[in-house]
Amino acid sequence: MSLKHKNEYRRSIDDYQTAAPVQRRIGLYWILATLRIVLTFAPQTGYIHPDEFFQSIEVVSGDHFDIDVYKPWEFNATFPIRSMFVPQVVVGLPYAILKRLSPYTFYFFGMSLRKPYFFVLFPRLFMCALSFLSDYFLYKICYMYGQNYRVRLVTYASSYVMLTYATRTLSNSIELVLTAALLYFVSRCMAYSEKVVLQNDYLSKKYSEAATAVERVKYYKLRALLPSHSLNDCFVLATITVIGIFNRPTFVAFAFVPIFFWLQRGMNSKSVGFRDFHIRMFVFVLCGLPAAIFFILVDSFYFGYLTMAEIGQLEIGINNFVVTPVNFLKYNADTKNLESHGLHPHFLHFLVNIPLLFNVLGVIGLLTVAKMIHSGLKAQWLHLPRLQSIVGLMTFTFIIPVVLLSVFPHQEPRFIIPVLFPLVFLYAPELSQVPSLDIVRRYVNDDGNSETYSPVEPTKHKSRKLMLWYISNLLLAFFYAFAHQGGVLPLVSHITTELKAKPHLTHVHLYTSYSYSLPTALLQLRNTRRIYRSSSNHKYKLTQDFHMYEQGSKPLPWVFDSIARRIKDCEENFVVNRIPYRLYYALPASAINEFTELSSNNSHLFRFHLVNTFYPHISIEKLPSLRSFGVLEHLLSFRDDGIFSSIVATAKDVYEYVEQFRLLLLKIEYLVPESKQNRLNK
């Protein structure tokens, strides 16, 4: 090939190269990343959702420690709908490390790691480390496409979703990392394929325009030397997709768009057609089979459907295998099953959950999508992102999963936290004084050699958006990290200490109201299901000495009657069998007045006194009544009582109102009837 042709060919490729990203200082990001780690160690006492314990820690801890656990119905061996492999990695691996380290820490420092704090900390540290993978993927995508990675990393790290949800042992947090991984590998394949396709089309054009056979041979050889791109990262993408589906079958909604974009790369060119699309689809399915078979075998062995003895005797049938995602779909296909978890309107994700999770960023995203829909209806196609662009990939990865998940009537905010990643990439610049979507689009100058971005003048609205973003995320981070059901974990630590300090034969009974379930794994109860052998080879089981009665949102009169019956039974058992007991009741401070009133009306049944207080504790199920909040009344009485006395009264009301955001632990004591007391005195 002549030097002229080589230069022309090289220039056509170099012109395509994405803009080199500006090296930016990201000190603020590192501060926020450190904050994420510090909050993980703090620890966060806030309790987002029971699933962060009952679909991970509660399931796995019994396999690593000799303790009593409560395995939820999702992991019932008769009809399991969740795979065990991912929880065993996320929780089992940290617990294996904890189990190995505990003897050494006790020997050298006199400190055992088998405490509720460390039982929560080790899995959360693992999740915190996983969360930083998504940060890395965001940085790599921005760098790959020449984007401002600083503003996106800072926005991403300052989201309360990353500070709280991402460090919890929720399957949705794992979905977030897997979605980020899919988007990274797909965007990398898109950029690489677009480059190769451009080269291929250029060489094909030159080949057809060649005047001599020698030139055609040279262009043909150059085309043959182009690297393969059609099936790049296929095995990785298929494996990530399978892991995501077995972790949580709803991952299909998040994987659909990235995989579709990977399948249709280069479809608008001359060298890629529908044949390539179908080949990619077929190979993708084949690449996903090893991971799928692995998960099926792991679950089949774990839940007892498949044993080595059956394999050795070749007594294997279809019933020896369990496919948990299929069971998940069967269960959720029945609306009656979803009713037990709560049914919600189909628009809840759009109107409530997106603004709640992503506040300013979510509203910007919804408004932008609404404008796109309006432009599409008016056939203004130039206003829409190109289908094979990074903007198109991120836009559809934001909106399509939310639409698909809105079909199901049970909708919780945590279900859509993976869309934070595309939201930040697309609209984070809107929060700062940089262009929004224009920073992603390329514009070629008139000389055809360089690329520029259309400038957008900063406005005051953007700084206001940024301030609103930081303030709202700061408040929500505090709420979910420490305040929401924030007394439950300290209560667990208190009860754990109580169980270790109590006399050996004493039974402990605990009632709870208006609070989430206590993770029994953190209590480290002695294993009452296991059969032990004594030194004389006698079999025996341990007696259960801790009893929990979760009353949820039942009316307090019902709870009061239940406590009265329970303490009467405990007292009779003590008189007959000489089994001592302690009975406690944990309830929000906002309910103590009603409970005290019930007790005063039935003073002959039992008495109680306050043992401990856990603050802060906000229970949405039992918020303090605003009727006792007389701030407005005091403010209106400024003229009559004077400003100072009104301010003092207002401050007192505010203090008393805030004091109700506590969890109280009461000790219930049996009240001996007066007639019986007289007999005992005689």
Side-chain angles (χ1 to χ4, degrees):
M1 183 186 294
S2 65
L3 181 62
K4 176 184 177 182
H5 288 151
K6 285 184 178 180
N7 291 338
E8 185 180 3
Y9 168 62
R10 174 50 51 194
R11 187 167 61 85
S12 70
I13 297 173
D14 292 340
D15 287 348
Y16 172 75
Q17 298 290 339
T18 54
V22 179
Q23 296 295 329
R24 303 178 186 276
R25 296 179 180 179
I26 54 174
L28 180 56
Y29 165 76
W30 291 118
I31 293 174
L32 293 169
T34 304
L35 177 62
R36 191 188 311 176
I37 299 173
V38 170
L39 286 176
T40 305
F41 275 99
Q44 298 182 25
T45 55
Y47 195 163
I48 295 178
H49 193 277
D51 284 357
E52 67 178 284
F53 294 103
F54 288 93
Q55 289 186 4
S56 55
I57 290 177
E58 195 72 22
V59 178
V60 176
S61 55
D63 299 331
H64 292 264
F65 302 98
D66 188 25
I67 57 177
D68 249 350
V69 294
Y70 168 73
K71 285 195 176 182
W73 60 272
E74 292 98 331
F75 297 89
N76 191 331
T78 57
F79 191 73
I81 68 171
R82 288 296 177 88
S83 174
M84 275 302 303
F85 180 75
V86 174
Q88 285 289 354
V89 173
V90 172
V91 179
L93 185 60
Y95 276 0
I97 298 173
L98 185 150
K99 195 174 182 179
R100 290 290 183 90
L101 287 179
S102 187
Y104 295 101
T105 58
F106 186 78
Y107 179 80
F108 289 106
F109 307 105
M111 179 183 66
S112 174
L113 296 182
R114 295 189 60 172
K115 295 179 180 179
Y117 170 77
F118 294 106
F119 268 56
V120 173
L121 176 64
F122 273 64
R124 286 187 179 177
L125 282 176
F126 187 87
M127 289 300 302
C128 183
L130 277 184
S131 72
F132 282 107
L133 281 177
S134 63
D135 298 51
Y136 174 75
F137 292 140
L138 180 61
Y139 164 77
K140 292 295 290 184
I141 293 175
C142 293
Y143 195 88
M144 190 188 312
Y145 284 87
Q147 303 307 305
N148 184 339
Y149 53 80
R150 180 189 178 277
V151 66
R152 289 175 170 87
L153 284 175
V154 169
T155 303
Y156 193 65
S158 62
S159 170
Y160 84 93
V161 172
M162 297 306 299
L163 295 172
T164 56
Y165 281 88
T167 59
R168 305 298 180 92
T169 49
L170 287 163
S171 58
N172 312 96
S173 303
I174 301 171
E175 266 188 329
L176 171 63
V177 178
L178 294 175
T179 301
L182 272 185
L183 287 171
Y184 164 66
F185 285 108
V186 169
S187 60
R188 188 175 73 172
C189 289
M190 287 172 58
Y192 188 76
S193 293
E194 194 168 357
K195 178 180 177 180
V196 175
V197 167
L198 179 72
Q199 295 173 359
N200 198 337
D201 288 351
Y202 174 81
L203 292 174
S204 298
K205 179 183 177 183
K206 289 297 181 181
Y207 177 84
S208 61
E209 294 176 352
T212 64
V214 175
E215 287 186 341
R216 283 197 294 270
V217 170
K218 289 181 178 180
Y219 284 121
Y220 177 82
K221 288 182 178 180
L222 283 174
R223 283 183 58 191
L225 291 175
L226 289 176
S228 174
H229 71 95
S230 185
L231 299 177
N232 283 6
D233 294 329
C234 182
F235 183 79
V236 175
L237 291 170
T239 303
I240 292 174
T241 304
V242 172
I243 293 173
I245 292 173
F246 275 86
N247 168 65
R248 190 174 180 86
T250 53
F251 185 71
V252 173
F254 298 100
F256 175 77
V257 171
I259 297 305
F260 175 77
F261 269 69
W262 181 83
L263 292 171
Q264 57 91 41
R265 286 168 296 132
M267 289 290 289
N268 60 344
S269 67
K270 298 178 181 179
S271 56
V272 179
F274 281 102
R275 177 175 172 272
D276 299 275
F277 183 92
H278 291 101
I279 290 176
R280 291 171 184 173
M281 187 183 299
F282 179 74
V283 176
F284 178 84
V285 173
L286 288 181
C287 289
L289 287 179
I293 293 172
F294 173 78
F295 274 93
I296 292 172
L297 289 176
V298 168
D299 291 335
S300 300
F301 274 110
Y302 184 87
F303 292 111
Y305 285 77
L306 187 64
T307 62
M308 293 304 297
E310 291 172 325
I311 294 176
Q313 297 174 7
L314 298 179
E315 296 177 354
I316 303 174
I318 191 66
N319 294 327
N320 289 105
F321 301 96
V322 57
V323 186
T324 52
V326 174
N327 291 347
F328 181 92
L329 294 176
K330 287 180 180 178
Y331 178 85
N332 286 279
D334 190 350
T335 309
K336 293 181 180 179
N337 293 331
L338 296 179
E339 288 178 357
S340 61
H341 304 282
L343 298 180
H344 308 108
H346 292 288
F347 53 80
L348 189 69
H349 278 323
F350 286 98
L351 295 187
V352 178
N353 294 340
I354 287 180
L356 175 63
L357 286 170
F358 317 119
N359 49 79
V360 183
L361 208 61
V363 174
I364 293 173
L366 290 176
L367 292 177
T368 305
V369 170
K371 292 177 183 178
M372 290 180 182
I373 295 174
H374 182 262
S375 299
L377 294 175
K378 286 194 169 185
Q380 297 174 343
W381 311 118
L382 294 178
H383 294 175
L384 302 177
R386 189 166 60 90
L387 186 60
Q388 295 186 353
S389 67
I390 186 65
V391 180
L393 171 64
M394 294 294 182
T395 301
F396 286 107
T397 304
F398 160 52
I399 200 65
I400 295 298
V402 180
V403 171
L404 293 177
L405 293 176
S406 296
V407 174
F408 299 96
H410 180 62
Q411 302 180 19
E412 297 179 23
R414 61 191 177 94
F415 291 172
I416 59 172
I417 63 173
V419 303
L420 171 68
F421 191 91
L423 267 176
V424 168
F425 184 86
L426 290 169
Y427 309 118
E430 283 286 332
L431 302 177
S432 303
Q433 297 181 358
V434 294
S436 179
L437 287 180
D438 291 337
I439 197 169
V440 181
R441 295 172 182 163
R442 304 192 191 95
Y443 294 89
V444 181
N445 292 340
D446 295 336
D447 57 8
N449 294 326
S450 60
E451 296 177 353
T452 59
Y453 302 110
S454 62
V456 177
E457 294 297 327
T459 62
K460 294 183 179 180
H461 296 289
K462 290 185 178 179
S463 60
R464 292 172 184 171
K465 292 175 186 176
L466 187 62
M467 290 300 298
L468 182 58
W469 167 263
Y470 284 134
I471 292 172
S472 59
N473 278 282
L474 179 65
L475 295 176
L476 288 168
F478 172 78
F479 177 76
Y480 284 106
F482 301 104
H484 183 251
Q485 296 286 335
V488 174
L489 291 185
L491 171 63
V492 169
S493 298
H494 178 90
I495 296 297
T496 303
T497 305
E498 179 82 8
L499 291 172
K500 290 180 178 179
K502 74 177 180 63
H504 182 65
L505 296 178
T506 302
H507 285 211
V508 175
H509 301 260
L510 175 65
Y511 275 79
T512 62
S513 284
Y514 306 108
S515 65
Y516 285 171
S517 300
L518 270 68
T520 54
L522 304 184
L523 295 172
Q524 302 172 54
L525 304 173
R526 57 187 190 179
N527 196 343
T528 59
R529 296 182 175 89
R530 178 183 170 186
I531 299 176
Y532 296 88
R533 286 183 180 272
S534 64
S535 57
S536 57
N537 206 28
H538 289 292
K539 296 180 180 180
Y540 68 95
K541 281 187 175 183
L542 298 175
T543 305
Q544 182 179 355
D545 62 353
F546 177 76
H547 311 270
M548 187 160 55
Y549 315 96
E550 295 176 343
Q551 303 301 301
S553 298
K554 291 180 181 178
L556 283 185
W558 293 10
V559 180
F560 186 91
D561 293 339
S562 178
I563 292 176
R565 291 192 298 269
R566 180 62 56 188
I567 197 169
K568 185 178 180 181
D569 293 341
C570 291
E571 187 65 22
E572 291 178 357
N573 196 24
F574 173 69
V575 173
V576 175
N577 300 318
R578 309 307 298 174
I579 299 178
Y581 69 94
R582 297 175 184 175
L583 197 151
Y584 298 96
Y585 180 34
L587 77 166
S590 55
I592 188 61
N593 291 336
E594 183 181 354
F595 187 76
T596 303
E597 184 178 349
L598 289 170
S599 179
S600 62
N601 295 335
N602 300 272
S603 57
H604 60 283
L605 297 176
F606 58 79
R607 62 189 175 192
F608 66 89
H609 65 272
L610 182 64
V611 174
N612 207 340
T613 300
F614 308 102
Y615 182 86
H617 176 87
I618 298 178
S619 177
I620 304 299
E621 294 78 7
K622 192 67 175 178
L623 289 172
S625 175
L626 289 173
R627 286 179 294 182
S628 61
F629 196 39
V631 173
L632 182 61
E633 180 182 347
H634 291 301
L635 291 177
L636 293 176
S637 63
F638 271 3
R639 299 176 183 176
D640 301 331
D641 302 333
I643 295 178
F644 180 75
S645 59
S646 297
I647 292 177
V648 171
T650 300
K652 183 180 179 181
D653 280 346
V654 171
Y655 175 78
E656 291 178 353
Y657 185 80
V658 173
E659 279 289 293
Q660 295 185 70
F661 294 112
R662 297 178 296 159
L663 182 66
L664 307 180
L665 181 63
L666 309 177
K667 185 174 184 179
I668 311 296
E669 296 178 342
Y670 182 72
L671 193 61
V672 181
E674 187 175 348
S675 57
K676 186 175 181 180
Q677 184 67 41
N678 293 334
R679 289 198 303 270
L680 292 174
N681 292 335
K682 292 179 181 180

